[in-house]
Amino acid sequence: LVAGVLYILRKRFGEIGNRSFKKNFLSHTKTFGAIYVLLVVLVFVQVMRCEGAEPAPAPKEVEVSSNLFPDFLPYTLLVDAGGIWHAQSPPIYPEWVEICYSEPARMTRLKMKAQDDSEGGSEHKRSPKDFCVQGSNDRKNWVEVLEVRDNLFKDGGEGKKWAFENDSSYRYYRIYITASGDPALLTIQKIELK
């Protein structure tokens, strides 16, 4: 978005930093005002999208988690990007990952994939051992729809599935984790709710 705005400004007013840009830019304050208003509106929509002001344009996305390491962001959990989500190390439970849907949806299945093992490694043990899936429409009142205890992944990249009863639709779902197979680390490679 920023790159697009800079491109438009350069085309309209000349190279940024030279004298003609400043002169042309100042003489076209209406254009600048329109661009500024557009940017403010786009930022407002982005911030408010999962706060109930407007439906989110994407069908689903990981909004937030208990930890946001720049190299291991939670959005990779819903795509086949080869990324993984890391909690802080060591984990301070509970740790969680929240998914925001554009409108309330009734989910009845969870699929989770353990982190791939390095050669001779045991990264799969970092996966959630005790966790639950919770649903909410306001991010304040959470209803548990699935509880899993003593879950252990045996291999890196292993996927597991759980079916659960759920008669309600929720806009927000979260994986609420209270223990992992490795007390020092917690990772997830992929999750899928249907």
Side-chain angles (χ1 to χ4, degrees):
L1 178 65
V2 173
V5 170
L6 288 175
Y7 176 79
I8 291 168
L9 288 174
R10 280 191 200 120
K11 284 292 193 185
R12 180 81 173 141
F13 305 113
E15 279 301 314
I16 293 175
N18 71 24
R19 192 172 288 199
S20 67
F21 172 82
K22 292 174 188 168
K23 182 180 174 186
N24 289 336
F25 185 79
L26 293 174
S27 67
H28 294 324
T29 55
K30 287 183 182 178
T31 303
F32 173 71
I35 292 171
Y36 178 77
V37 168
L38 177 64
L39 286 173
V40 168
V41 168
L42 289 173
V43 168
F44 177 77
V45 168
Q46 178 69 18
V47 168
M48 297 303 292
R49 135 180 96 157
C50 283
E51 296 299 326
E54 282 189 24
K60 61 186 173 190
E61 60 185 52
V62 174
E63 274 299 302
V64 292
S65 73
S66 56
N67 202 28
L68 293 171
F69 283 130
D71 294 337
F72 304 105
L73 294 174
Y75 77 89
T76 61
L77 289 170
L78 296 176
V79 296
D80 289 321
I84 55 173
W85 173 77
H86 271 269
Q88 55 196 324
S89 181
I92 299 174
Y93 294 106
E95 297 281 355
W96 48 269
V97 174
E98 183 180 310
I99 303 167
C100 171
Y101 289 83
S102 57
E103 57 188 49
R106 188 173 73 87
M107 301 297 170
T108 58
R109 289 178 288 165
L110 168 69
K111 182 179 179 181
M112 184 181 296
K113 184 177 178 183
Q115 180 180 350
D116 288 327
D117 287 341
S118 58
E119 189 173 329
S122 60
E123 286 86 350
H124 65 275
K125 293 181 181 178
R126 302 174 179 177
S127 299
K129 177 182 172 187
D130 297 334
F131 65 92
C132 62
V133 175
Q134 299 173 324
S136 176
N137 283 311
D138 61 7
R139 285 182 160 158
K140 295 176 186 169
N141 301 298
W142 292 93
V143 176
E144 188 173 292
V145 294
L146 170 68
E147 181 180 25
V148 177
R149 297 280 175 232
D150 297 320
N151 172 63
L152 295 175
F153 286 87
K154 295 182 174 110
D155 297 304
E158 177 184 358
K160 288 191 175 185
K161 298 176 186 178
W162 295 269
F164 52 92
E165 297 287 325
N166 179 21
D167 296 328
S168 300
S169 295
Y170 299 104
R171 181 149 183 228
Y172 308 99
Y173 284 86
R174 72 178 176 186
I175 313 299
Y176 194 79
I177 307 160
T178 55
S180 69
D182 179 342
L185 296 163
L186 171 61
T187 63
I188 305 172
Q189 186 157 329
K190 184 169 170 109
I191 55 175
E192 184 178 315
L193 278 168
K194 290 185 176 182

